[in-house]
Amino acid sequence: MAVQEGVAPAAPSASETPHRLASGALGLPGVIFCIVTGAAPMTAMLFNVPVAVMGAGYGAPAAFLLATVALTVFSVGYIAMSRRVTSAGGFYTFVTRGLGRIPGVGSGVLIALCYMLFSASVIGVMGYFAATSIDSWFGVDIPVWVYMFGALALMSLLAWFHIELTTKVLGVSLVAEVLALVILAVGIFAHGGADGLSAKPFNPAEVFGNSSASHTFGAAAAGVALFAAFWSWVGFEMAPNYAEESRDPHRIAKAATYGSVIGLGILYMFVSYAFVSGWGLNGAAEAVKKQFAGDIASAFYPLAETFVGHWLVVMFQVLAIVSPFACAMAFYNTGARYLFSLAREGVAPAPLAKTSKHHSPAAASMTVTGLVGLIVLGFTVYDSSTEGALLKLGTWAPLMGVFGILGVQALTSFAVIRYFLTTARDGFHWFTTLVAPIIGAAAMIGAMYLLMENRPALSGDAEVPFIKYLPEAVVLMFLLGVGIALWLRAQKPAQYEVLGHFEHADPVDAV
């Protein structure tokens, strides 16, 4: 039977499938913990602020400001669609509903792989801070790969159990992270920073061609700064992925998405401004250079020592291990749910849609364990040093992932426009479902261009294959999904017909 793209066939309801996640397990706080801890405030600041300073010098806070605005505008259309479509498929489901099954499956495969790259990369960040901190505390030099594979084993165990256990772990970590960062920032502002407080770091023009970055690193790279900023929010869009496990998915998706985007934006700007103020406008880039050279474990530690006290340094060191673990676990869980959704609809092997007795996506989770383990192993073989875990696995892998997710977010914006112009005409609004998605798509495409142009600055060698062929690798991952969709259309038309149309609940009218 011929199938018209963009026209939704009768979808199997949640009650008709044996592959169900734990319904009603998460309230608004639980979903926010999964989302915000996925963004990992502590990890984002300890790792991404130095990278943003590398690209934009003291203009790093402005990079976070630009990302906050871009992602808030993107969220307008995204939330409008999330009120109509609830499924663990997230971006995959949205693109399928708006642009058709072929680009939808391409997006689904790409985003699932991106989340596995994110999980692996943050495991690398955790391994770096665990190795340096344990060595600093006890004088015990344990290979960084021991910490990385130990963390992967622990998160695999947690993934087998009910989702509420994971949210409790994430929630404790989140509260401690935010508290430590706020204490540091307040301490710096109370002392007036290194040489006073200036408004210059919030000027968006300072992101481009910043003099302090150029003087210290030889060049300023706006794409590097924006990469660090957008990377800090990866995971903010997770709310629809937890729709099947939410008690009120329509209300929760809106509150959790806006709350995470705007709340994280304020926190990131506040802390990054404290960082550049604490070191001074001309000293921030020099401090980051010392960190990248291995002279100090983190450019945040001396600030904590100077403006608050040694106890905060110890708190930062502990959270520098706990935070990336919680972050990697959140990415791991989201990657598993994308894989689960793809398997449930026949895109990935059917056994991956099996759940445990705790109604967790057990088979998909164990598959993610294997794939993330291979990524970590590959980078460890390439460079087994402690610094390599941070500067290669922790930097190169998310570079590819962020490039991919920006592309999928752009596609999602176009999907929102088409969905409300065709399937859901009754919910069309000139701003929320047309103008905002257009602006959001333009912002994502612009960030992709700057990231692609400036990517060699993050590797130090433009000829490193992982960096040189980054755009081609992302396109190939997308085309892998396209190929699967085309094969299903030719060989299994009935299965192809219902791709992206599994729903948790009946949609509600958009408001």
Side-chain angles (χ1 to χ4, degrees):
M1 179 177 67
V3 180
Q4 183 181 353
E5 295 285 356
V7 178
S13 69
S15 60
E16 294 171 343
T17 178
H19 304 302
R20 287 293 310 279
L21 298 177
S23 152
L26 299 176
L28 178 60
V31 175
I32 288 179
F33 286 156
C34 288
I35 294 173
V36 178
T37 313
M42 179 64 75
T43 304
M45 295 295 92
L46 290 183
F47 178 66
N48 293 348
V49 166
V51 174
V53 169
M54 175 185 173
Y58 60 77
F64 288 100
L65 171 61
L66 291 174
T68 301
V69 173
L71 291 172
T72 300
V73 173
F74 165 81
S75 297
V76 172
Y78 185 72
I79 290 169
M81 194 160 183
S82 72
R83 291 183 59 78
R84 295 292 184 118
V85 180
T86 55
S87 169
F91 284 145
Y92 154 63
T93 304
F94 287 11
V95 175
T96 300
R97 294 297 183 91
L99 300 180
R101 297 162 185 81
I102 292 174
V105 176
S107 298
V109 170
L110 172 58
I111 204 69
L113 293 173
C114 284
Y115 269 104
M116 293 176 207
L117 285 167
F118 293 145
S119 184
S121 69
V122 182
I123 286 174
V125 174
M126 185 231 67
Y128 168 81
F129 283 111
T132 55
S133 295
I134 296 298
D135 191 16
S136 171
W137 295 334
F138 307 110
V140 179
D141 186 12
I142 299 174
V144 68
W145 62 264
V146 174
Y147 297 106
M148 293 193 292
F149 282 104
L152 180 58
L154 180 56
M155 69 180 65
S156 302
L157 178 64
L158 288 170
W160 186 266
F161 295 100
H162 197 280
I163 187 65
E164 276 191 323
L165 176 61
T166 297
T167 60
K168 290 175 181 177
V169 174
L170 298 180
V172 171
S173 173
L174 174 62
V175 172
E177 290 174 46
V178 173
L179 180 63
L181 290 168
V182 170
I183 289 172
L184 173 62
V186 170
I188 292 172
F189 294 143
H191 287 83
D195 47 22
L197 304 177
S198 168
K200 290 179 69 176
F202 287 111
N203 181 359
E206 297 294 346
V207 176
F208 304 88
N210 184 273
S211 59
S212 67
S214 301
H215 174 75
T216 305
F217 297 102
V224 171
L226 291 175
F227 153 70
F230 278 102
W231 171 213
S232 301
W233 267 274
V234 167
F236 84 92
E237 80 290 344
M238 290 180 187
N241 294 88
Y242 291 96
E244 294 179 40
E245 296 158 284
S246 301
R247 299 190 187 109
D248 186 353
H250 302 293
R251 179 183 63 85
I252 285 176
K254 180 178 181 179
T257 303
Y258 274 138
S260 61
V261 171
I262 298 173
L264 285 172
I266 293 171
L267 178 66
Y268 291 161
M269 287 185 284
F270 182 67
V271 175
S272 61
Y273 180 63
F275 180 88
V276 298
S277 298
W279 283 109
L281 298 190
N282 295 319
E286 290 292 340
V288 169
K289 188 175 182 179
K290 290 181 180 179
Q291 176 181 325
F292 290 166
D295 297 336
I296 51 177
S298 170
F300 273 88
Y301 294 170
L303 291 179
E305 185 81 49
T306 301
F307 291 98
V308 180
H310 186 69
W311 67 268
L312 186 61
V313 177
V314 175
M315 187 175 181
F316 264 71
Q317 289 175 322
V318 172
L319 289 173
I321 301 171
V322 175
S323 171
F325 173 81
C327 175
M329 186 163 64
F331 289 150
Y332 175 104
N333 287 335
T334 303
R337 278 156 181 78
Y338 270 111
L339 199 57
F340 170 84
S341 295
L342 293 171
R344 185 165 57 184
E345 299 191 5
V347 176
L352 299 184
K354 291 182 179 179
T355 57
S356 72
K357 65 179 181 180
H358 303 284
H359 298 287
S360 66
S365 295
M366 296 309 105
T367 302
V368 170
T369 294
L371 293 172
V372 169
L374 287 174
I375 297 170
V376 173
L377 178 61
F379 273 90
T380 300
V381 171
Y382 182 80
D383 186 346
S384 61
S385 69
T386 299
E387 291 74 19
L390 180 71
L391 300 179
K392 292 186 174 63
L393 176 58
T395 304
W396 296 358
L399 186 64
M400 180 178 289
V402 169
F403 189 81
I405 204 170
L406 287 171
V408 173
Q409 287 172 348
L411 281 176
T412 301
S413 294
F414 293 127
V416 169
I417 294 170
R418 187 172 185 274
Y419 179 78
F420 283 100
L421 285 176
T422 55
T423 307
R425 280 288 306 175
D426 59 309
F428 176 81
H429 185 275
W430 70 271
F431 180 75
T432 59
T433 65
L434 180 60
V435 175
I438 289 174
I439 297 173
M444 302 306 149
I445 293 170
M448 287 177 70
Y449 172 76
L450 289 172
L451 177 56
M452 184 173 64
E453 288 296 302
N454 297 152
R455 67 189 186 279
L458 279 171
S459 67
D461 184 356
E463 295 304 310
V464 173
F466 202 89
I467 302 298
K468 182 177 181 179
Y469 299 109
L470 180 149
E472 290 85 349
V474 170
V475 171
L476 284 175
M477 288 190 285
F478 178 81
L479 291 178
L480 172 62
V482 169
I484 293 172
L486 291 172
W487 181 84
L488 286 172
R489 186 174 68 177
Q491 301 297 323
K492 299 183 177 181
Q495 192 168 315
Y496 173 83
E497 187 176 349
V498 295
L499 290 179
H501 290 88
F502 183 96
E503 290 241 353
H504 163 69
D506 293 333
V508 297
D509 291 337
V511 294

